[in-house]
C-alpha cells in the first residue's frame, strides 16, 4: 500500500514537471499591436514632438512604446532647431529622442539634414558657394557624427523638387548649383557609411515629380555616391492620389535598387481648398464652417471612408513589402497633427490612427485586421 502511494506521488511529480516544461516552451503570444502585427513586413513609425519625447503623458508614452517600431523627430532635428547659429547646436531634444528610441529598441530615423524650409537664417543668408559648401558640410558632419551608429537612417535631402520634377530654386541650388545634392549624400556617408541615406519629398506619387525624383537619385548614384532609399512622405487625401499612382511610384523607385519608405503618412478628411496636393507649408487659406465640418468629431461615414482608404493603401504596402522598409505616420494622434493648421489654420482634422482621446480609430482596427487576415491565409 505504502509503495503504491509512493509510486503515485512520483508519477504526480513527473506529470507536474513535464507539464511545466512544456508550458515554458510555448512561445507567449505577443500583444496585438501595430508594431507586433507588422513586424515581419516593415517598421511602423511615428513622428514625435517634444511633449512625446519627454514622455509627459503616460498613456501617450505607452502607445508610442507598444505600437511603433520606429520614430522620427517631427521638428527637433531641423536646422533651425538643432543648429540655430553657426556655433550653436541644440542637442538636448535630439539626444533625448535618440535615447528614447534606444529604450524601446526602435529604428531611429533622422529628419532632416538639408531642407530649404525651417532653415537657420545664418545658412539662408550665405551668398558664396564655397562658404555654403563649408556650412553644409560642417552642419551634416557634426550632427551625423554625434549620432553615428545610433540614428539608423537619415533624410539627407528633403523636398528639393518642384511639382514638374525640375529642381526647386532653393538657396542651396542658387548658391551651389546641383552639386549640393550629391555632396550632401557624400558627406553623410563619409561619417556614417552604415546609416541608410534617403531622398525625401511630398507628392511623390505624382508622375512628373516621380520622374524628377528618379532623375535626381540616379544622378547621384551615377557619380558613385550611395543613396539607399527614397522617402514618399504620404500627405494624402481620401480620394487622391490614386492607388495606381502610389503603386507605380513604389515599383519604379524600387527599380533603382533603393528601398522605399513611406515617411510622413496622414490622410486629411477635410475639404481641400483648390484641390491642393502636397505639403507646401507656405500655402494657407481662409477658414470657414464649410471648410471645417467635423469640429465635434468624425461622423461614422467618414470614419468608414478613412478606414477603407488606409486599408486600400496598406494592401499596396503589403503587396510590396519586399521593397518597403518603413511606414511612418506623421504623428500619434489627431490632436497632434500639423493638418489642423494646414492648408487652413484652426481646423479640426482627423488624419491619424488614434483620436484626440488617444483611442484607436476604425482605421487602426482595419489595418491590423488586414495583416492578420493575410497572415492566416499564408499559413
Ligand atoms: O509637422 C511639422 C510641423 O509641426 C512644422 O511646423 C512644419 C514646419 O517645420 O513641419 C511639419 O513637418 C513637415 C516635415 O518636416 C516635412 N514634410 C512636410 C511636413 C508637414 O509640413
Amino acid at each position: 500500500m505504502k509503495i503504491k502511494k509512493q509510486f503515485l506521488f512520483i508519477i504526480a511529480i513527473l506529470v507536474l514537471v513535464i507539464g511545466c516544461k512544456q508550458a515554458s516552451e510555448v512561445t507567449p503570444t505577443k500583444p496585438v499591436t501595430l508594431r507586433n502585427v507588422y513586424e515581419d513586413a516593415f517598421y511602423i513609425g511615428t513622428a514625435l514632438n517634444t511633449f512625446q519625447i519627454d514622455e509627459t503623458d503616460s498613456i501617450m508614452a505607452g502607445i508610442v512604446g507598444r505600437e511603433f517600431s520606429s520614430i522620427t523627430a517631427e521638428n527637433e532635428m531641423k536646422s533651425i532647431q538643432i543648429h540655430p547659429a553657426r556655433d550653436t547646436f541644440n542637442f538636448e531634444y535630439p539626444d533625448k529622442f535618440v535615447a528614447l528610441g534606444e529604450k524601446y529598441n526602435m529604428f531611429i530615423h533622422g529628419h532632416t539634414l538639408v531642407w530649404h524650409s525651417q532653415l537657420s537664417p545664418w545658412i539662408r543668408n550665405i551668398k558664396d558657394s564655397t562658404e555654403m559648401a563649408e556650412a553644409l558640410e560642417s552642419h551634416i558632419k557634426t550632427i551625423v557624427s554625434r549620432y553615428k551608429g545610433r540614428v539608423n537612417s537619415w533624410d539627407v535631402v528633403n523636398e528639393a523638387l518642384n511639382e514638374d520634377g525640375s529642381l526647386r530654386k532653393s538657396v542651396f541650388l542658387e548658391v551651389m548649383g546641383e552639386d549640393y545634392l550629391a555632396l550632401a549624400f557624400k558627406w553623410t556617408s563619409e561619417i556614417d557609411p552604415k546609416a541608410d541615406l534617403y531622398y525625401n519629398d511630398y507628392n511623390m506619387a505624382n508622375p512628373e515629380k516621380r520622374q524628377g525624383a528618379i532623375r535626381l537619385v540616379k544622378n547621384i548614384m551615377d557619380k558613385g555616391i550611395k543613396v539607399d532609399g527614397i522617402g514618399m512622405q504620404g500627405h494624402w487625401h481620401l480620394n487622391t492620389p490614386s492607388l495606381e499612382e502610389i503603386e507605380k511610384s513604389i515599383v519604379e523607385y524600387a527599380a533603382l535598387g533603393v528601398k522605399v519608405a513611406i515617411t510622413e503618412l496622414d490622410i486629411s478628411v477635410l475639404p481641400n481648398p483648390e484641390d491642393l496636393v502636397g505639403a507646401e507649408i507656405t500655402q494657407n487659406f481662409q477658414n470657414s464652417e464649410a471648410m471645417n465640418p467635423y469640429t465635434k468629431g468624425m461622423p461614422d461615414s467618414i470614419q468608414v471612408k478613412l478606414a477603407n482608404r488606409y486599408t486600400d493603401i496598406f494592401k499596396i504596402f503589403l503587396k510590396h513589402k519586399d521593397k518597403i522598409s518603413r511606414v511612418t505616420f506623421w504623428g500619434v494622434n489627431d490632436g497632434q497633427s500639423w493638418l489642423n493648421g494646414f492648408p487652413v489654420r484652426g481646423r479640426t482634422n482627423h488624419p491619424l490612427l488614434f483620436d484626440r482621446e488617444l483611442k484607436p480609430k476604425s482605421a487602426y482596427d482595419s489595418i491590423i485586421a488586414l495583416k492578420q487576415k493575410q497572415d492566416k491565409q499564408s499559413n
Side-chain angles (χ1 to χ4, degrees):
M1 192 60 192
K2 199 175 168 202
I3 290 181
K4 199 176 166 196
K5 254 194 187 162
Q6 276 176 345
F7 179 70
L8 285 175
F9 180 70
I10 289 168
I11 296 283
I13 296 282
L14 275 176
V15 168
L16 206 72
V17 168
I18 292 168
C20 284
K21 191 161 183 295
Q22 279 178 346
S24 71
E25 278 165 3
V26 175
T27 353
T29 43
K30 286 187 172 178
V32 177
T33 64
L34 284 170
R35 175 181 184 147
N36 291 339
V37 171
Y38 278 86
E39 193 178 21
D40 61 355
F42 33 73
Y43 292 112
I44 297 277
T46 188
L48 302 181
N49 59 35
T50 49
F51 154 81
Q52 294 157 321
I53 294 170
D54 279 333
E55 298 198 284
T56 331
D57 179 320
S58 60
I59 300 177
M60 174 71 89
I63 292 178
V64 172
R66 277 193 311 274
E67 298 288 346
F68 299 100
S69 49
S70 176
I71 50 172
T72 304
E74 187 172 353
N75 290 304
E76 299 314 302
M77 285 180 157
K78 292 173 180 172
S79 85
I80 202 163
Q81 301 284 344
I82 200 171
H83 195 181
R86 197 182 288 268
D87 298 317
T88 313
F89 285 90
N90 285 331
F91 287 126
E92 186 194 345
Y93 272 101
D95 284 359
K96 283 187 184 174
F97 159 77
V98 172
L100 186 77
E102 289 175 338
K103 172 168 128 184
Y104 291 118
N105 193 22
M106 287 162 157
F107 185 91
I108 302 170
H109 180 69
H111 173 80
T112 170
L113 295 169
V114 179
W115 189 26
H116 66 278
S117 185
Q118 304 299 102
L119 179 62
S120 301
W122 74 273
I123 302 182
R124 185 181 309 119
N125 293 333
I126 296 174
K127 301 278 179 283
D128 172 75
S129 65
T130 312
E131 201 193 328
M132 178 64 94
E134 279 168 7
L136 280 187
E137 182 174 6
S138 85
H139 172 78
I140 290 174
K141 290 193 168 174
T142 309
I143 296 166
V144 177
S145 313
R146 187 169 182 96
Y147 302 112
K148 180 176 177 171
R150 300 175 70 202
V151 165
N152 307 99
S153 60
W154 285 101
D155 287 332
V156 177
V157 177
N158 196 41
E159 301 173 8
L161 291 168
N162 293 316
E163 294 317 292
D164 65 358
S166 61
L167 290 180
R168 182 194 283 271
K169 281 209 162 103
S170 66
V171 61
F172 314 118
L173 187 73
E174 303 252 74
V175 176
M176 280 177 72
E178 333 193 349
D179 283 356
Y180 88 89
L181 294 160
L183 283 169
F185 279 85
K186 178 171 162 281
W187 292 325
T188 313
S189 69
E190 278 170 7
I191 299 296
D192 194 349
K194 289 199 184 130
D196 277 350
L197 309 189
Y198 279 77
Y199 174 69
N200 188 51
D201 212 327
Y202 57 80
N203 287 348
M204 292 287 272
N206 155 350
E208 288 183 305
K209 203 155 180 181
R210 179 193 305 140
Q211 293 318 316
I214 291 172
R215 275 195 303 274
L216 184 157
V217 167
K218 245 178 132 296
N219 278 340
I220 300 174
M221 291 168 111
D222 286 348
K223 293 188 166 71
I225 296 167
K226 79 162 190 153
V227 177
D228 300 286
I230 295 186
M232 300 173 65
Q233 291 185 4
H235 296 298
W236 293 333
H237 300 266
L238 286 174
N239 301 315
T240 60
S242 74
L243 299 173
E244 291 71 27
E245 296 300 346
I246 293 174
E247 182 165 19
K248 261 194 206 164
S249 284
I250 295 171
V251 171
E252 290 191 26
Y253 294 147
L256 289 169
V258 299
K259 299 173 187 174
V260 179
I262 312 300
T263 54
E264 305 181 13
L265 183 58
D266 46 28
I267 296 173
S268 172
V269 301
L270 294 183
N272 185 16
E274 297 176 17
D275 286 331
L276 194 72
V277 285
E280 180 51 67
I281 49 180
T282 49
Q283 292 165 308
N284 231 285
F285 297 83
Q286 199 62 35
N287 198 352
S288 68
E289 252 176 63
M291 277 298 177
N292 193 18
Y294 313 131
T295 50
K296 295 196 173 67
M298 212 171 30
D300 287 349
S301 60
I302 304 295
Q303 193 82 255
V304 171
K305 267 196 189 162
L306 183 70
N308 290 343
R309 176 76 166 148
Y310 267 119
T311 309
D312 290 343
I313 288 171
F314 267 75
K315 274 186 195 156
I316 296 176
F317 296 165
L318 284 169
K319 179 172 165 198
H320 296 290
K321 65 178 186 211
D322 58 321
K323 306 172 184 65
I324 292 182
S325 50
R326 173 172 62 92
V327 175
T328 286
F329 291 87
W330 206 236
V332 177
N333 77 333
D334 291 339
Q336 169 194 357
S337 174
W338 73 293
L339 288 172
N340 296 307
F342 174 89
V344 179
R345 288 205 184 91
R347 294 201 295 180
T348 308
N349 212 330
H350 307 265
L352 294 167
L353 298 186
F354 292 86
D355 67 17
R356 284 174 168 72
E357 279 71 52
L358 287 170
K359 298 272 179 298
K361 293 155 63 175
S362 311
Y364 171 95
D365 297 334
S366 304
I367 60 175
I368 294 258
L370 170 73
K371 178 66 166 59
Q372 287 178 322
K373 189 169 148 209
Q374 292 197 4
D375 289 347
K376 240 187 223 156
Q377 282 164 354
S378 61
N379 274 333

